[in-house]
Amino acid sequence: MNYWLLKTEPSDISIDDIQSVENGYMPWNGIRNYQARNLIRDQIKKNDLLLIYHSSCKQVGIVGIAKVAREAYPDPEQFNPESRYFDPKSSIDNFRWFCIDISFVEKFENIVPLIDIKNASSLSEMVLVKQGRLSVQPVTQNEWENICRMSKVLK
DNA sequence: GCCAACGTTGGC
DNA sequence: GCCAACGTTGGC
């Protein structure tokens, strides 16, 4: 089993939205970056664990855990002209983009702020720190354990 | 295939 | 709102 990090803008989808979704899973679509696409298509497997990261908001950082409920399948939004994720260059028999389904696992009692991650020497190799703009990223087991530990430190 | 122009992400 | 970093587009 592997670990990953997913970025989301909480004004769009937050950890609370993931927690309260009705049928127990939600599609994670709108990934429109080839590096991220290749990860979800080729490497992300059912039951892999996901750190959920809130970006572009007041408190940026890691807020909880989700898991993969369904492996990569064609993102239906790319075919929908009404969608913000519509891709006019995609057709049913020649498409580009994939999505996965995720389900809620846990909301951290304390957010793990980006600044703390940047300041933690054990996390200096995290993709989150080294490469700014990637919405789906691999996380090592060691990084995973450190993040989970940091989430339990009382503020 | 190069690369300039442009667009997007995302922290601050 | 600024701007650095990076991805994409398109002319040549």
Side-chain angles (χ1 to χ4, degrees):
Chain A
M1 191 199 55
N2 287 304
Y3 303 102
W4 311 92
L5 180 146
L6 299 183
K7 286 186 188 171
T8 179
E9 298 186 20
S11 57
D12 183 19
I13 297 173
S14 73
I15 187 73
D16 295 324
D17 297 326
I18 299 170
Q19 179 166 20
S20 60
V21 71
E22 275 187 18
N23 46 11
Y25 67 90
M26 74 189 307
W28 197 260
N29 42 30
I31 294 167
R32 296 292 180 269
N33 166 289
Y34 288 104
Q35 232 184 314
R37 192 272 316 258
N38 293 347
L39 286 176
I40 67 162
R41 185 189 60 188
D42 304 333
Q43 296 195 42
I44 298 187
K45 300 301 178 192
K46 187 168 181 176
N47 294 323
D48 279 0
L49 289 171
L50 309 162
L51 293 172
I52 302 300
Y53 176 87
H54 281 179
S55 69
S56 299
C57 59
K58 212 165 183 182
Q59 263 202 309
V60 295
I62 298 171
V63 292
I65 299 173
K67 71 176 178 184
V68 178
R70 182 182 172 189
E71 289 177 21
Y73 62 98
D75 184 347
E77 298 297 302
Q78 70 193 306
F79 308 122
N80 175 9
E82 305 296 314
S83 170
R84 58 197 269 224
Y85 299 124
F86 177 61
D87 185 342
K89 292 174 181 164
S90 277
S91 60
I92 297 286
D93 48 3
N94 186 16
F95 60 88
R96 304 179 173 194
W97 307 113
F98 290 81
C99 61
I100 56 177
D101 289 347
I102 70 166
S103 52
F104 177 80
V105 174
E106 176 186 341
K107 180 180 177 179
F108 288 160
E109 237 168 277
N110 307 290
I111 185 174
V112 180
L114 178 60
I115 185 71
D116 290 2
I117 294 169
K118 284 182 170 172
N119 287 335
S121 56
S122 60
L123 298 176
S124 61
E125 294 300 309
M126 264 192 97
V127 179
L128 186 67
V129 176
K130 300 197 87 175
Q131 183 179 349
R133 318 178 342 152
L134 186 60
S135 61
V136 178
Q137 348 181 321
V139 173
T140 68
Q141 184 173 354
N142 186 50
E143 289 162 353
W144 177 275
E145 287 166 2
N146 271 293
I147 296 289
C148 291
R149 198 173 309 127
M150 288 165 79
S151 76
K152 295 187 176 71
V153 174
L154 294 176
K155 292 280 158 69

